Amino acid sequence: MIVRHLIKELLEQAMEEALNRDILPGGTPTDIVVEHPQSAEHGDFATNLPLKLARSLGINPLEIAQRLAPLVRPDDAIDKVWVEAPGFINFSLKPSWLASSVESILEDDESYGNVPLGKGESVQVEFVSVNPTGPIHVGHARGAVLGDALANILSAADYLVTREYYFNDAGNQMENFYNSLYVRYQQAFDRQVEMPEGGYMGDYMMDMARAIAAEEGERFLNMPSTQAVEELGQIGLGRMLKGIQDNLERLRIRFDVWFKEHTLYEEGQYEKTMDALRQGNHLVVRDEATWFASTALGEDKDNVLIRGSGVPTYFAADVAYHYNKFVERGFSRVVDIWGADHQGHVSRMKAAVGALGVDPQRLTILITQIVTLKSGDQVLRASKRTGDFITLEELLDEVGTDPCRYFFLARSPDSQMDFDLELAKKESSENPVYYIQYAHARIASILNLAGENRIDYRGGDVSLLTDPAELALIRRMVALPELIESMAITLEPHHLPHYAQELATAFHWFYQQCRVVSSTPGDEAITRARLKLVKASSIVLGRCLRLMGMEAPEKM
RNA sequence: GCGCUUGUAGCUCAGUUGGAUAGAGCGCAGCCCUGCGAAGGCUGAGGUCGUGGGUUCAAGUCCCACCAAGCGCACCA
């Protein structure tokens, strides 16, 4: 059980008793908030309940606290309950309970930290979803890392998670891509043809065209251009997707579903969606186009779903896609992760989902803010069109997967971030990534030593763990389930890297203070107890690293 | 012009539902290994939390205005 919940329960019971025994008058019920005090002298947990009640009860908060505190019933986990001005009730954890939690961690092993929050509810996390018209760049990587970590956390919180990548294989930009590729292909055979207006000018297009030319020969030169564009396009699309998959694989990200826009039309989902909107009176025809009447739903303006030409817009496809997510596939919740350039689409997408009869609360759209790439003082602009960008691949070559994941993950997606390549490279030898992994390697090395010395610590007595450094380490470890729960609720994985760092600090401090494998006669018992603690640390730290998608090295 | 996001230490950033002395890493000044990995530990300096109002017993956190930065505001995706 999460200790915070336990304390909340104890307080609820105390309140009830206070009411029943007329120790406190009845008042307006307030939510009981249990928090972690900043300072250790205020205990492990604290509540401001008396301060909140003071007004409605008309009693001095300190007085309320003093009446309430004695009613908190004793518990194995709780050491002391005391009152402090101006009206806090503080709780400290019992050292013996902390020590015994080491056994629970060992017992839970890999599953330590899991919380029964989602109860098997199905959640789809859709992320990256870059159109396969160009390579993945740094900005996409941020959303990729966020989505993946979020999916890991939701799984740990007992949700049934599907990771999904959506890509538009229909539409203008793909046509443009196909045409650009055809031109580059012809140019590879020294034909004098011009790139189309607004074509994809990046070097990768030339590289790909040359590679296809080398593999497939000149057969596309000798067929009608529409056929050549079509066939060449499919080859190009396949190659782009492969490249994206390879890149993501290097970032250690795998998707359960690669969803193609195309299938929405083939399987009638698009038609069904439009019918549903029509039946709900959400469609209007104006200037030959069909609009989503979102103004009626409180939006700033209406949006075109079907152009005058009869061709559906990107928005129409996206609405159909969300119809597919909620209605066809029945996900109970959906999390979309979009880049900052899509932020203006959030409210209309939610409006559209609502118009389809789905509670918009079931859709969460997370926006990752822009990543500005810098090299020293120089700002590097990212633009797929001109081909002037830093790709994910280049980033991984420069800084490696783990630092890349850590840097993106440690920052709240709401704040735009500077990613200085120079700095990231320079810090590679001396940054939090290595600090945390170093702790893990240290742990492994201690456990190895114990193995070499043939120390069997299974019978170790954890009640011997009483040193402040030992208890501080355990305090950090028992906080993991609560953290996972809160991250799963707020959908904010960026707390995890910070927790991992605190945990590593606690371990390093313990290591400094307490000799684990001791050859001094008489130390056998404490050695065994501490080895249990070390093993538990390995479980918790390893869990954190895996949730972040980082390696948990035995050696460095 | 309207909307979304951001503004916290020299730099990069944390700061859950308002709480009791505002935190971390890097950088800077020092100290600690003839025993498990010094890629480590400890101590110190460094802050008008963009500005000004307001709500509250209590505001970095909530509300309003302003300033600054980024991103949106297409029958593009």
Side-chain angles (χ1 to χ4, degrees):
Chain A
M1 175 167 203
I2 293 175
V3 190
R4 187 204 287 257
H5 295 176
L6 167 71
I7 289 173
K8 194 173 169 182
E9 257 176 39
L10 292 176
L11 283 166
E12 278 163 359
Q13 288 169 8
M15 280 297 288
E16 208 180 311
E17 199 181 333
L19 217 64
N20 291 342
R21 289 171 46 191
D22 257 350
I23 294 173
L24 284 176
T28 43
T30 13
D31 250 7
I32 296 178
V33 175
V34 178
E35 60 195 359
H36 298 277
Q38 285 179 28
S39 162
E41 59 193 75
H42 295 134
D44 293 298
F45 293 91
T47 185
N48 57 4
L49 183 61
L51 289 152
K52 292 226 164 191
L53 290 173
R55 177 165 290 242
S56 70
L57 299 189
I59 305 177
N60 178 312
L62 201 59
E63 175 67 28
I64 298 175
Q66 277 157 355
R67 292 191 205 172
L68 203 53
L71 302 182
V72 175
R73 72 167 165 76
D75 187 278
D76 282 349
I78 309 299
D79 192 19
K80 280 181 296 188
V81 180
W82 73 98
V83 172
E84 271 189 45
F88 291 100
I89 302 178
N90 297 333
F91 300 78
S92 64
L93 294 172
K94 204 177 280 183
S96 60
W97 179 84
L98 284 168
S100 70
S101 337
V102 171
E103 293 286 6
S104 320
I105 295 169
L106 294 175
E107 215 168 283
D108 289 353
D109 201 10
E110 297 273 313
S111 69
Y112 178 71
N114 285 357
V115 286
L117 180 70
K119 300 185 173 66
E121 203 179 310
S122 65
V123 181
Q124 182 206 50
V125 184
E126 183 225 318
F127 57 112
V128 190
S129 298
V130 180
N131 271 4
T133 54
I136 294 197
H137 64 69
V138 194
H140 303 133
R142 185 177 196 182
V145 168
L146 172 68
D148 190 53
L150 201 52
N152 288 341
I153 288 162
L154 288 170
S155 299
D158 197 27
Y159 286 94
L160 198 62
V161 180
T162 300
R163 288 158 218 254
E164 187 151 322
Y165 187 116
Y166 171 71
F167 66 93
N168 305 95
D169 58 347
N172 292 341
Q173 297 212 3
M174 283 316 292
E175 292 304 322
N176 191 1
F177 170 80
Y178 297 147
N179 288 325
S180 301
L181 179 59
Y182 182 49
V183 170
R184 290 302 191 205
Y185 171 81
Q186 294 174 85
Q187 287 173 346
F189 292 99
D190 295 326
R191 294 237 177 142
Q192 296 300 313
V193 275
E194 291 295 311
M195 281 294 274
E197 185 78 16
Y200 289 96
M201 303 302 287
D203 288 348
Y204 65 92
M205 289 297 281
M206 283 187 266
D207 295 343
M208 184 165 68
R210 275 195 286 266
I212 294 174
E215 268 181 34
E216 306 280 336
E218 55 181 53
R219 62 191 180 93
F220 298 108
L221 295 177
N222 308 319
M223 58 175 72
S225 63
T226 49
Q227 189 190 348
V229 167
E230 164 76 25
E231 290 187 22
L232 206 48
Q234 287 312 303
I235 293 173
L237 174 62
R239 293 181 81 104
M240 291 307 298
L241 275 177
K242 179 70 168 51
I244 288 169
Q245 280 168 346
D246 288 350
N247 278 189
L248 290 170
E249 190 84 13
R250 270 187 81 186
L251 248 193
R252 297 193 199 99
I253 294 174
R254 287 192 181 175
F255 288 89
D256 302 308
V257 178
W258 292 77
F259 194 96
K260 296 178 187 162
E261 178 189 353
H262 213 70
T263 59
L264 293 170
Y265 304 104
E266 284 170 356
E267 292 168 14
Q269 322 250 314
Y270 166 75
E271 284 303 329
K272 284 188 200 169
T273 304
M274 291 306 136
D275 286 346
L277 290 176
R278 196 170 292 116
Q279 277 168 23
N281 271 325
H282 295 294
L283 298 186
V284 286
V285 177
R286 195 190 313 143
D287 303 332
E288 294 178 14
T290 304
W291 300 68
F292 172 47
S294 37
T295 327
L297 302 171
E299 292 295 293
D300 287 344
K301 57 185 181 189
D302 292 345
N303 297 97
V304 174
L305 287 165
I306 309 172
R307 285 177 262 248
S309 63
V311 178
T313 60
Y314 163 85
F315 179 53
D318 219 13
V319 176
Y321 180 40
H322 283 77
Y323 172 86
N324 169 276
K325 294 183 185 204
F326 286 109
V327 181
E328 294 284 328
R329 282 191 283 169
F331 286 111
S332 96
R333 289 182 64 194
V334 169
V335 180
D336 291 346
I337 296 175
W338 295 352
D341 53 343
H342 284 64
Q343 149 267 113
H345 304 233
V346 172
S347 73
R348 75 178 188 194
M349 190 67 242
K350 297 198 97 174
V353 163
L356 289 169
V358 174
D359 180 1
Q361 296 277 344
R362 290 163 60 192
L363 173 66
T364 306
I365 299 170
L366 300 179
I367 299 293
T368 59
Q369 291 299 323
I370 289 276
V371 178
T372 310
L373 255 192
K374 282 187 182 167
S375 187
D377 289 335
Q378 202 183 352
V379 175
L380 309 168
R381 292 298 304 174
S383 160
K384 228 190 312 190
R385 285 300 172 86
T386 61
D388 171 27
F389 51 78
I390 299 287
T391 62
L392 171 57
E393 193 167 21
E394 288 166 322
L395 182 68
L396 290 172
D397 288 344
E398 292 285 328
V399 301
T401 300
D402 285 334
C404 185
R405 290 196 66 124
Y406 187 90
F407 272 93
F408 283 127
L409 208 52
R411 277 137 187 76
S412 155
D414 287 337
S415 57
Q416 58 205 68
M417 60 180 284
D418 289 347
F419 201 116
D420 187 335
L421 280 179
E422 299 291 314
L423 196 65
K425 268 166 70 180
K426 200 180 76 183
E427 284 186 358
S428 300
S429 57
E430 200 138 329
N431 66 27
V433 180
Y434 294 89
Y435 178 86
I436 294 164
Q437 292 181 325
Y438 179 64
H440 192 269
R442 233 183 190 179
I443 288 168
S445 145
I446 295 169
L447 293 175
N448 274 340
L449 182 70
E452 281 167 21
N453 293 357
R454 301 186 180 286
I455 302 172
D456 181 357
Y457 56 89
R458 279 172 299 184
D461 176 9
V462 291
S463 71
L464 297 174
L465 301 171
T466 53
D467 189 279
E470 293 165 339
L471 296 176
L473 175 56
I474 301 170
R475 278 190 163 89
R476 292 320 307 150
M477 298 198 297
V478 298
L480 183 66
E482 182 185 326
L483 178 73
I484 289 178
E485 184 188 67
S486 98
M487 290 188 301
I489 292 170
T490 60
L491 304 178
E492 290 180 349
H494 70 271
H495 300 289
L496 189 54
H498 295 102
Y499 171 80
Q501 179 162 359
E502 285 168 13
L503 186 63
T505 300
F507 182 82
H508 287 311
W509 163 241
F510 155 75
Y511 174 87
Q512 200 79 18
Q513 296 298 308
C514 304
R515 173 82 199 179
V516 180
V517 180
S518 168
S519 47
T520 310
D523 278 356
E524 294 81 2
I526 190 71
T527 289
R528 284 195 296 271
R530 283 177 177 162
L531 280 170
K532 275 193 165 175
L533 176 57
V534 172
K535 177 64 184 169
S537 307
S538 152
I539 290 169
V540 181
L541 195 54
R543 187 83 209 268
C544 286
L545 286 165
R546 275 186 294 277
L547 285 171
M548 293 191 283
M550 291 168 59
E551 281 181 344
E554 305 273 302
K555 280 184 183 163
M556 290 174 71

